[in-house]
Amino acid sequence: MKSMVTSAKSTVPTVTDQAAAMQLGQCAKNLATCLAELRTATQKAHEACGPLEIDYALNAVQTLRSELQDARMAAHDGQLKPLPGESLEKCAQDLGSTSKAVGSSMAQLLTCAAQGNEHYTGVAARETAQALRTLAQAARGVAASTKEPQSAAAMLDSAQYVMEGSAMLIHEAHQALVSPGDAESQQRLAQVARAVSHSLNNCVNCLPGQKDVDMALRSIGEASKKLLVDTLPTCSKSFQEAQSELNHTAAELNHSAGDVVHSSRGTSSQLAMASGKFSEDFDEFLDTGIEMAGHTQCQEDQIEVIGNLKNISMASSKLLLAAKSLSVDPGAANAKNLLAAAARTVTESINQLITLCTQQAPGQKECDNALRELEAVRGLLDNPSEPVSELSYFDCIESVMENSKVLGESMAGISQHCKTGDVPAFGHCVGVASKALCGLTEAAGQASYLVGVSDPNSQSGHEGLVDPIQFARANQAIQMACQNLVDPASSPSQVLSAATIVAKHTSALCNACRLASSKTSNPVARRHFVQSAKEVANTTANLVKTIKALDGDFSEENRDRCRVATTPLIEAVENLSTFASNPEFASIPAQISNEGSAAQEPIVRSARSMLDSSTLLLETARSLIINPKDPPTWSILAGHSRTVSDSIKSLITSIRDKAPGQRECDYSIDNINKCIRDIEQASLAAVGQSLQGCRDDISLEALQEQLTSSVQEIGHLIDPINTAARSEAAQLGHKVTQLASYFEPLIVASVGLASKIMDQQQQMNILDQTKTLSESALQMLYAAKEGGGNPKAAHTHDAIAEAVQLMKEAVDDIMVTLNEAASEGGMVGGMVEAIAEAMGRLNEGTPPEPEGSFVDYQTTMVKYSKAIAITTQEMMTKSVTCPEELGGLASQVTVDYSQLAHQGRLAAATAEPEEVGFQIKTRVQELGHGCIYLVQKAGALQMSPTDSFSKRELIECARGVTEKVSMVLSALQAGNKGTQACITAASTVSGIIADLDTTIMFASAGTLNPENEESFADHRESILKTAKALVEDTKRLVSGAASSQDRLAQAAQSSANTITMLTDVVKLGATSMGSDDPETQVVLINAVRDVAKALAELIGATKCAAGKPADDPSMYQLKSAAKVMVTNVTSLLKTVKAVEDEATRGTRALEATIECIKQELTVFQSKDVPEKSTTPEEFIRMTKGITTATAKAVAAGNSAQQEHVIATANLSRKAISDMLTTCKQAACHPEVSEEVRSKALHYGSECTTGYIDLLEQVLLVLQKPTADQRQQLAVHSKCVAGCVTELIQTAEAMKGSEWVDPEDPTVIAETELLGAAASIEAAAKKLEQLKPRAKPKQADETLDFEEQILEAAKSIAAATSALVKSASAAQRELVAQGKVGSILANAVDDGQWSHGLISAARMVAAATSNLCEAANASVQGHASEEKLISSAKQVAASTAQLLVACKVKAQPDSEAMRRLQAAGNAVKRASDNLVKAAQKAAFDKADDHSVVVKTRFVGGIAQIIAAQEEMLRKERELEEARKKLAQIRQQQYKFLPTELREDER
């Protein structure tokens, strides 16, 4: 189902019908969500009903036994008929393939039961029952289809025995679970398993054709007993007759072996006939071989002949077993190649015997051997649908070239030695030619397979967990080697050779088991592989001991010991091979399309032509070596030689022409070039505002989804193409074709989406990003074509890596744009899909190799879980106040959950016990469902922000997510309660350190005052007592790392509580000292801050060391952190005791600072990479603090006053800490080279060490204030200054040629201009959000005054923003023209200009900000129109000053100056409009103010006096305001540059 979802999603972009594409995409999303829910539900169901699976399996098997019994009765009565669709061949194949599945599932059942794992035992029992059901159906079908009643009855009886034994096996497995450690139940289980395995073999042997193969095997076994006799029979034939007959029977046996290979792919009757013929030919061959052995005169030669006959016997048995296996399960991976290999082994064994025994005419036996070898390898070209070897495509080309060269030389040698009559050299050349031809054939077969698989229409195979072929080959090699070991005729060299073979293959098996155990997510399979590897390794070690004893003394007793030792090894390897044959672990074979087969044909045809002509050439050479004087034969030889050469040339050409992926790369490049032309046309149309998109009935959301899915699928293909282009040529064609297929829908969706967007800037953004993606894909295709999948073409790999990086960046850019647009519009489909995918990956079979421990993943999961909880709470708030921001928050939840799921998968894989890992995955999946519902509700609320029902649903979903987050945290805590407590404690201490930093700021500012009359003595005892308690907590924390999780949790919680108490009492003590002595307050708070920081490091080290052995490196880090903790607590105690002693507290503060700086230096020198990076400018800024602190340190040393020393200690601590932090952050920036990084870190350490020496010298001066000691202060300060200079030069090197001096006035000017522009834009945005205050509507002409104010203010803000940006451009133009230097060559003049520009830019920004405040206050009714008019006039004045500041240097007719002037005029117009509107409003308001005159005389006089008084007061205030304005302008005028003063005059 999961693969169906993946296929559907990858197909969506290629569907041309938009409606169908939308429907398919939505269905795929729904299916993915339902699958995730189903997976969670099944897990819960299994938790409740897991134990019932074994009972269900037992009932199912008993039912199958009853059904087979009924079928047996029907067959007896002649009523058993085949079901529709059943045939003898089909049912026989089903039964054969199912028998392997039954055997493997039973092996897994045994393993699960032995391990006591109830969950996987139930799963294995269920799988066994399902496999047995298929087996029973196949057995019934075979019995019903066969025409022999006896065969039908035998088949049903054997299948019934299998069911009975399986039922007993499942029952015993259930009993073994009840008593896991009971040895007796384990023994019964093993006995029942062996009985079932025997019944299963009997069932398979009842298949048609299998009996004949078994009879042939028994016949070979019986015949081979003739080789075990002590004395050979007397010879009845002459040597020549025996030799001739041996050659004849060898040829017959070799031919029969080929017939067995061909018939195994045919019907069962053909296999029966071929195997019978093979056994007869073997019997005849064996008799002639024994006859030939009797003619040998030497005893050693006779033993060697008998040994060769035994090898031929074993190879013949293996051939029949391979044929039997293939006929039973034709679809088994690589079974056909195994059969061909077995046939070649028979041929090679025959050749060895012929070479040893025959004395033919010169060169005859070498030619015969070569011909047999060529006949054996011919079969490799009959079946190019399976890999022949592990060679890559380019390895095949190399192999063909090398072997063709060797073949050419050997063919020339054959011709030459025929002429000269050099028979030994002729025989050698024939052997070399034979090996070269076999190599050419193998390379051609492998190349044709790779060419066929690389066709885009073919389906490439998938590698399984293990390679069953490797296990089968190792099993066969080990068995043969063990047989040679125990063979009495084996020589010492043969024994050592066999021992080497055993060691080689057992080592390979152990490595394969180790890899398989690391890949599988099935814990039972993981343990089984590990246990099997141990058994194989132990039995091999025991065998090696006996072999060593045998090598020292070849006695019969030592041989018997060796024989006994081989039995457990063979059994262990057999069991491992059976378990590895599980279909769950098997690879999926490739399926070659018709087009792929057509591409293979030229290679196969050339290779066959080569073999045919080579065979004829060798036959001709065989006659020539006897009669080299025959001219017609020489002519024939030359003709065959030319044919061989032509066929090899044709083979090389065919292989090179069919290079995998090249044709597809060319096609894909053409396709993407066309797409780029289309997107360029669309961009031109968009610029001309004539862009035509898709049909009107296709919605914006549909186009956005189509574009998103296309980009996602393209992104998924980047890494596969990277891998294919580097090393997997067979996959290159598939991947590039798939990539190109997504670009046409990508372009259609991009152009359609752009046509639906009204904003031209957004249109161009989408089209440009699409074009960038297309161009980066084109570059990657060119690089991939050049690489071609050749791992040896290293010169192309850098270009491939660069293209891959560019394409990933392009995908990321366009996805960011699409996600932002989707979240703003409330389209959450992509987010839901991303969460569902993350949930699905939780249960994927093979987790990646864990790089960390459970504690590392637990810590990261806690961080992401809390982030989700915080974002969820914010969503609850925003749902009421600002629903339009919910999209961004939902996107954040999606990102955090994806990271949480990834870490959860790794945490579950490393959790102990396994139940904890299962619980973690379950809780994370449940959280995923909650996040999906929350994101969906957020999207719904964005669509309808006023819907109260949607708001209520979102709040309920958010609460559910919060609850599920707590469940995830509790599951993590259950895994490691102690480490979870350490994480919580570390979080608490981190908050304490942040609080202490804030307190230090208050103390430094002199605002840390006591609330009541108290002294430091009132708190001293509490501080000392709490600090001692913290020391005890430290000891418990260190010991808790090696003890239980409960004790560790208690220690972590206790230490967090104690440091909280200690911090509180120290803060109270510092406060009680009063703000008159802030430096002493800072010293005391710094001391407790050092303790808190050391505790945070100690908790982190404890968390990492928990549960580790004593010799683990993390334990050493823990001890080191504990020492630092004790040192800092001791320092705190000393500081507390000395803080009231004015004579020593400065010295104590300096000692504490030195210790703190040393600890900071240790952290700096560690290999930990900082979480963030900083700029070189910031780094340079921080080095200035060291210069200041150095000067203060020298002054404090010279004055020897305690208050100066305290101030120096506090300043030094901060300066060095800031420098070290920024140095490491700047050095670890990804763009900084390794050389510059190492220099920065080196000089940072040197500077800190020099500063420590300086402080220690100050300390020495305080203790022994002599003139010589004071002179040393200057020496140390010079050393620090030199290091600071080196640091600054290193920082300059970090930026390279782009580095600028932050003190350069021109740089400051541009920075201020950009800052002013930013502040103006922020003010403009604030204006856009303002609304006029609500008031009753009045029927007068001033109703829209507030709207006029806001519009005018917005215009001014926009115009000033454009103005300042234009000024910034003018600044850059002046630097480019050389009017203003980019360096301080003309510091006074240019600096004045820059400062003038800076002040003008600042004034524009400040005036615009005041304007916005005035507009806000005005529309809210809190300010007068006069203030608004004044603010607008100030904007106009500052704008004029900015224009003057730019005019003094710029070219009057420059483009930048014209833009600047236009922007200034726009500001002036906007300001005038606002002033007019406000003045009109003020005038109208004045007209509306009517004065009520009092009629009484006295009251009237009083009214006149009051009016005159107010007028005089206003006049006086006006005069004072004018004077104040004049003073302000005079003061400002002093700071204006020369150009502005002249201009104003």
Side-chain angles (χ1 to χ4, degrees), residues 484-706:
N484 290 336
L485 278 174
V486 300
D487 189 352
S490 297
S491 63
S493 61
Q494 289 175 326
V495 168
L496 289 178
S497 175
T500 304
I501 292 172
V502 168
K504 172 187 169 185
H505 286 286
T506 52
S507 174
L509 284 179
C510 291
N511 286 332
C513 288
R514 180 180 58 80
L515 289 174
S517 66
S518 65
K519 290 179 182 178
T520 181
S521 62
N522 184 337
V524 175
R526 188 186 307 129
R527 289 180 183 173
H528 194 288
F529 279 120
V530 171
Q531 189 62 34
S532 297
K534 288 180 180 177
E535 289 179 6
V536 170
N538 292 335
T539 52
T540 303
N542 293 334
L543 179 60
V544 168
K545 289 179 184 177
T546 61
I547 292 172
K548 287 181 179 178
L550 180 63
D551 186 46
D553 179 14
F554 277 83
S555 63
E556 195 62 33
E557 183 181 356
N558 286 340
R559 282 194 185 278
D560 288 339
R561 287 178 182 168
C562 193
R563 184 181 295 105
V564 171
T566 58
T567 305
L569 174 61
I570 293 173
E571 187 176 343
V573 174
E574 282 279 3
N575 293 337
L576 177 58
S577 298
T578 302
F579 183 75
S581 64
N582 190 334
E584 179 186 345
F585 310 144
S587 55
I588 301 173
Q591 295 181 2
I592 296 178
S593 63
N594 294 331
E595 293 84 353
S597 299
Q600 289 177 328
E601 185 57 34
I603 299 174
V604 174
R605 186 171 57 248
S606 299
R608 283 179 179 155
S609 174
M610 175 193 70
L611 283 180
D612 293 339
S613 54
S614 299
T615 302
L616 295 172
L617 184 142
L618 288 174
E619 289 175 349
T620 308
R622 182 173 61 177
S623 64
L624 266 181
I625 194 64
I626 298 173
N627 183 19
K629 303 293 186 181
D630 186 8
T633 309
W634 280 106
S635 176
I636 294 171
L637 181 70
H640 293 322
S641 180
R642 280 194 300 272
T643 309
V644 171
S645 299
D646 292 342
S647 59
I648 290 177
K649 290 177 184 177
S650 173
L651 176 64
I652 294 172
T653 305
S654 299
I655 293 177
R656 283 182 169 166
D657 289 347
K658 300 295 182 181
Q662 296 299 304
R663 180 166 52 88
E664 290 79 9
C665 282
D666 290 336
Y667 166 78
S668 302
I669 287 170
D670 292 341
N671 192 2
I672 293 181
N673 271 322
K674 177 181 176 299
C675 292
I676 291 175
R677 289 194 295 271
D678 291 344
I679 201 73
E680 287 174 346
Q681 291 295 326
S683 299
L684 291 174
V687 170
Q689 297 185 349
S690 59
L691 181 62
Q692 297 294 326
C694 53
R695 303 194 312 265
D696 293 336
D697 59 338
I698 301 174
S699 66
L700 178 71
E701 181 180 0
L703 290 167
Q704 198 162 355
E705 290 223 359
Q706 182 182 352

Side-chain angles (χ1 to χ4, degrees), residues 465 518-521 843-848 905:
L465 184 65
S518 65
K519 290 179 182 178
T520 181
S521 62
N843 286 312
E844 281 184 357
T846 306
R905 188 180 178 203

Side-chain angles (χ1 to χ4, degrees), residues 146-172:
T146 187
K147 297 178 180 178
E148 299 178 7
Q150 291 181 350
S151 299
M155 172 58 72
L156 293 173
D157 287 341
S158 62
Q160 201 170 342
Y161 291 144
V162 171
M163 300 304 156
E164 290 176 359
S166 300
M168 192 178 300
L169 180 66
I170 294 173
H171 174 73
E172 290 296 336

